[in-house]
Amino acid sequence: MNTIKQFKIFLIGKVILTFFIFSGCTLILDTDQLTKGEDTENHETDTGYIDTETPCNNVKDCDDKISCTEDVCGDSGFCVYLPKNSMCGTLEYCNVQEGCIPTGDECAGDKGCNDGIDCTIDYCELGTCSNIPDHSKCSNSKPFCLETPLCNPDKGGCIDGKEIVCDQPKSPCMSATCNDSNGECDISLMTGADDDNDSFYDEDCGGDDCDDNNDAIYPGAIEKCNGKDNNCDSIKDISYNFDNNLSLYKGNNLSNPQNAFNGTDNGVIFFDGSVIKIIVADSSGKLVSTEPFVLSSLVTDSDKSIVPSITGTDTGFIVAWVSKGISEAVNIASVYKEGDTLKGTLEKTITMGANESVTGLSLKYSSSGATPGWSVAYALNTTSTGNIYFLNQSGSSPFAVDSQTGTATGVSLIKSDTDSFLITYWGNFTLQSGSDVEMFESVVKYDTDFSNDNGFPRGPFSPVDSDGVQDTDPSQNGKSALSGAGKWITVYEDSNGYSSGITAWNSDKQLNQSLINPTGLLVGDVSFLNPATGFTLVYSSDTLVTSAVEFSQYNSDSDDTLKVTSKNRLIYAEDKNSERVSDPSAATALPGEINVVWIFNGDNGQDILQLANVGTCQQ
């Protein structure tokens, strides 16, 4: 029977190990499973494997060829093999039979768990590494503008918190960002919103600068005669200073509107049927009175076939019109404001004789010179003669400028810088005109009384068209203007019998120049004036199906030739069966501006008196 001998009790890890020695052999429990998952320090023991089959006299008899064991010859005379874990690598232990083998653990201590990320807490527990994010180790680079930073090992460590978002301004050209120094939301201009630095923002970001690469182009800029839209109102070389064409008055049979500006207000005289009226709007287009003043209340039986005339004064307006009655008469009245009401006073009535009729009149006002006040020139026909008369407010009776056999058809009056009046008139005078209506002119001067200047009247001036054929009815609807340099220019409708154009007459150079050749158009209702930036021409143009109001600007060069600097269409009706524009009239307004009125007839058949304020371009 074998003898069992208890050899020794020792601790391996947390397990009690007992060796039992039998006769002829030694029983050793499987210690491999006991040491797995434990630190190598816990495998250190001074107890090992006793080989009872290998007796020994000294240590030389006990070489087990295992590099991690200490081989000794025990007191019992047998070889003992003691495991030395320190002779194995990290995360290995010494097996007395197999040598150094892995423990199966992930770590042997905290140092083995360093993940290289500053914001994690690294430690080893039960052979397993743990790397716990510690957000407190992250610092906020922008404490006012970023939320609390976070430790994110998957992204390499600390990451910034979310950006604090500011409420954005309504303007799409502006942006609001958080100020790192104080947390306030600072508003700034977006990149590309104002590339030309003119303080107006690009249309691409919702601004109104129509060319953000040119600092001379922006809303409100001076409109230049350069073919560009300098002020961004979508129109080149002119500008509309009202948002839309203003409707001043509506009626069923409006005609012959004429307008004038007195420095603050724009007055328009017109016929509503056979009743003559005046309506006034301020410089912004607002009506000073909702109802026009009825001039027919002063004098009845107005003659709507004769275009009335109006001029501005220091206190209001002076108007002139023709009435029929028992005898025809030229009536002159003053119109002025009292609060929000228009008032009128009849200033003068020039009564014609029997068988005398007025065919045209022109009115001007001046507050300076030896003959201040209003002045009127009118064309008068008798049964055999055509006559041109002139009357100043200071005079008691009209002065006869010219009288010839035939008929007078029209007249235009302008006041020069001196006490002289420039009169252009038209007539079919038998001895000078043949069968044509021709143009004549005179200068009326004042020297204790009014008289024609030396060499006047003079004419006729008979133009020819580009085809070299003299017009059959060359000179109608004329208007004169005086430039700042004193050039006396007259424009008139120039008809060849089936179409009409516009010709300019330079009185100083005795030179005709065709501005618009007759090419199938019918032009008329000509206005010609000098708004201190060059001559401006406003006229109506009709084809068989269309009607329009045209606007052209001219500048004269050293040889006195008028050269067009811009041409625009103010309003256009493409089908005269449904709508039509007619009867334009223009007047100078504030510096660089012109007021234009016309009549618009829509598809409902109603006439609308409209007003536009147009800025002229500068050279």
Side-chain angles (χ1 to χ4, degrees):
M1 182 174 184
N2 293 331
T3 301
I4 301 175
K5 179 181 179 180
Q6 184 174 345
F7 176 67
K8 194 173 184 178
I9 299 174
F10 58 93
L11 182 67
I12 299 178
K14 295 180 177 67
V15 181
I16 303 296
L17 178 65
T18 304
F19 283 91
F20 296 89
I21 302 176
F22 296 84
S23 174
C25 66
T26 299
L27 176 63
I28 299 179
L29 298 180
D30 183 5
T31 62
D32 292 345
Q33 299 300 320
L34 298 177
T35 59
K36 289 178 181 178
E38 301 297 325
D39 292 339
T40 50
E41 292 180 353
N42 294 331
H43 294 303
E44 292 288 347
T45 179
D46 57 359
T47 303
Y49 168 68
I50 300 175
D51 185 1
T52 58
E53 295 181 355
T54 306
C56 63
N57 294 315
N58 54 52
V59 68
K60 292 182 180 180
D61 298 329
C62 297
D63 185 4
D64 61 355
K65 308 300 181 182
I66 301 298
S67 61
C68 64
T69 59
E70 181 181 358
D71 306 332
V72 297
C73 184
D75 294 339
S76 61
F78 293 99
C79 288
V80 178
Y81 306 108
L82 301 174
K84 296 295 182 179
N85 292 330
S86 60
M87 300 180 68
C88 293
T90 303
L91 300 180
E92 292 181 335
Y93 73 94
C94 183
N95 184 294
V96 293
Q97 293 180 337
E98 298 180 21
C100 292
I101 63 175
T103 65
D105 294 336
E106 183 182 10
C107 55
D110 290 347
K111 291 182 179 180
C113 292
N114 188 346
D115 59 1
I117 296 174
D118 294 338
C119 63
T120 56
I121 299 173
D122 308 324
Y123 62 92
C124 183
E125 183 178 22
L126 298 178
T128 301
C129 284
S130 293
N131 308 102
I132 307 301
D134 184 358
H135 303 308
S136 66
K137 291 185 177 182
C138 296
S139 60
N140 195 336
S141 60
K142 298 178 180 180
F144 288 110
C145 297
L146 295 176
E147 295 179 358
T148 303
L150 301 175
C151 179
N152 189 330
D154 292 338
K155 294 186 177 181
C158 292
I159 60 172
D160 286 335
K162 293 182 179 180
E163 184 178 355
I164 295 175
V165 179
C166 294
D167 292 335
Q168 294 302 305
K170 293 181 179 180
S171 171
C173 298
M174 309 296 290
S175 64
T177 55
C178 182
N179 188 318
D180 296 335
S181 63
N182 56 24
E184 298 290 335
C185 287
D186 293 339
I187 297 177
S188 60
L189 198 64
M190 293 176 59
T191 301
D194 187 17
D195 289 336
D196 56 9
N197 297 315
D198 60 3
S199 300
F200 292 87
Y201 305 143
D202 195 333
E203 289 180 336
D204 291 341
C205 73
D208 50 7
D209 191 338
C210 56
D211 187 348
D212 204 35
N213 295 313
N214 189 331
D215 61 4
I217 296 179
Y218 53 86
I222 295 174
E223 190 71 11
K224 299 289 186 179
C225 302
N226 57 7
K228 298 179 180 179
D229 179 16
N230 299 90
N231 62 359
C232 295
D233 65 352
S234 301
I235 306 173
K236 297 177 181 179
D237 296 334
I238 64 171
S239 60
Y240 276 109
N241 299 321
F242 298 150
D243 291 337
N244 296 292
N245 299 326
L246 298 179
S247 295
L248 301 180
Y249 187 80
K250 296 180 181 180
N252 293 320
N253 189 15
L254 306 183
S255 63
N256 289 334
Q258 298 291 300
N259 70 318
F261 187 72
N262 66 1
T264 57
D265 298 324
N266 192 72
V268 183
I269 187 173
F270 62 98
F271 277 97
D272 183 3
S274 61
V275 178
I276 189 166
K277 300 178 179 181
I278 180 172
I279 195 165
V280 177
D282 64 19
S283 58
S284 68
K286 180 181 178 181
L287 291 176
V288 302
S289 175
T290 56
E291 292 296 327
F293 178 73
V294 180
L295 292 166
S296 297
S297 65
L298 302 177
V299 177
T300 59
D301 299 322
S302 300
D303 186 355
K304 64 178 296 183
S305 66
I306 307 302
V307 178
S309 188
I310 182 171
T311 185
T313 71
D314 301 331
T315 58
F317 299 92
I318 297 291
V319 295
W321 75 101
V322 176
S323 61
K324 294 179 180 179
I326 299 175
S327 298
E328 287 195 10
V330 173
N331 305 285
I332 300 171
S334 59
V335 179
Y336 49 92
K337 296 185 297 183
E338 280 191 1
D340 58 357
T341 303
L342 294 177
K343 299 286 187 177
T345 301
L346 187 63
E347 300 285 338
K348 183 77 172 180
T349 296
I350 308 171
T351 303
M352 308 299 128
N355 300 316
E356 292 182 342
S357 62
V358 178
T359 57
L361 57 81
S362 182
L363 181 69
K364 288 293 179 286
Y365 176 85
S366 175
S367 60
S368 61
T371 57
W374 54 261
S375 299
V376 64
Y378 56 95
L380 171 67
N381 291 323
T382 68
T383 55
S384 60
T385 61
N387 307 273
I388 303 298
Y389 284 97
F390 170 85
L391 179 64
N392 177 261
Q393 185 174 349
S394 62
S396 58
S397 59
F399 163 68
V401 177
D402 196 3
S403 178
Q404 298 189 48
T405 302
T407 57
T409 60
V411 63
S412 178
L413 172 68
I414 55 176
K415 174 76 162 62
S416 68
D417 294 335
T418 63
D419 284 316
S420 297
F421 297 86
L422 312 181
I423 302 175
T424 306
Y425 54 99
W426 292 264
N428 187 344
F429 299 135
T430 306
L431 299 180
Q432 299 193 61
S433 304
S435 61
D436 286 339
V437 175
E438 301 292 1
M439 183 173 66
F440 301 81
E441 61 189 13
S442 185
V443 175
V444 174
K445 66 178 182 177
Y446 179 80
D447 184 8
T448 69
D449 203 353
F450 291 99
S451 63
N452 287 318
D453 202 356
N454 293 332
F456 292 95
R458 64 186 182 188
F461 308 108
S462 300
V464 293
D465 286 332
S466 58
D467 59 8
V469 178
Q470 183 171 312
D471 291 337
T472 58
D473 193 11
S475 310
Q476 305 243 31
N477 298 324
K479 295 290 175 65
S480 298
L482 195 65
S483 73
K487 296 177 181 178
W488 181 8
I489 307 292
T490 301
V491 298
Y492 52 90
E493 179 185 343
D494 189 5
S495 172
N496 60 16
Y498 58 90
S499 62
S500 57
I502 295 178
T503 295
W505 168 254
N506 186 321
S507 180
D508 298 322
K509 296 293 183 178
Q510 297 285 285
L511 177 68
N512 268 307
Q513 178 186 346
S514 179
L515 302 183
I516 300 175
N517 289 322
T519 55
L521 286 175
L522 292 174
V523 301
D525 306 299
V526 177
S527 291
F528 188 63
L529 45 146
N530 174 30
T533 56
F535 291 106
T536 300
L537 175 67
V538 178
Y539 58 96
S540 63
S541 64
D542 281 22
T543 67
L544 292 176
V545 295
T546 67
S547 61
V549 174
E550 309 279 354
F551 183 101
S552 297
Q553 295 180 81
Y554 296 86
N555 187 28
S556 57
D557 56 19
S558 57
D559 63 358
D560 295 310
T561 300
L562 290 177
K563 296 197 174 180
V564 64
T565 56
S566 70
K567 185 176 181 180
N568 289 275
R569 179 172 287 166
L570 298 184
I571 186 171
Y572 176 72
E574 62 181 2
D575 185 359
K576 290 195 293 189
N577 291 323
S578 59
E579 58 185 22
R580 183 186 178 107
V581 291
S582 63
D583 296 4
S585 173
T588 55
L590 295 174
E593 296 179 4
I594 288 176
N595 289 331
V596 184
V597 295
W598 61 78
I599 294 172
F600 175 82
N601 184 278
D603 54 10
N604 61 359
Q606 189 176 49
D607 291 334
I608 303 175
L609 179 62
Q610 294 184 325
L611 167 68
N613 179 264
V614 182
T616 59
C617 60
Q618 295 186 9
Q619 303 298 322

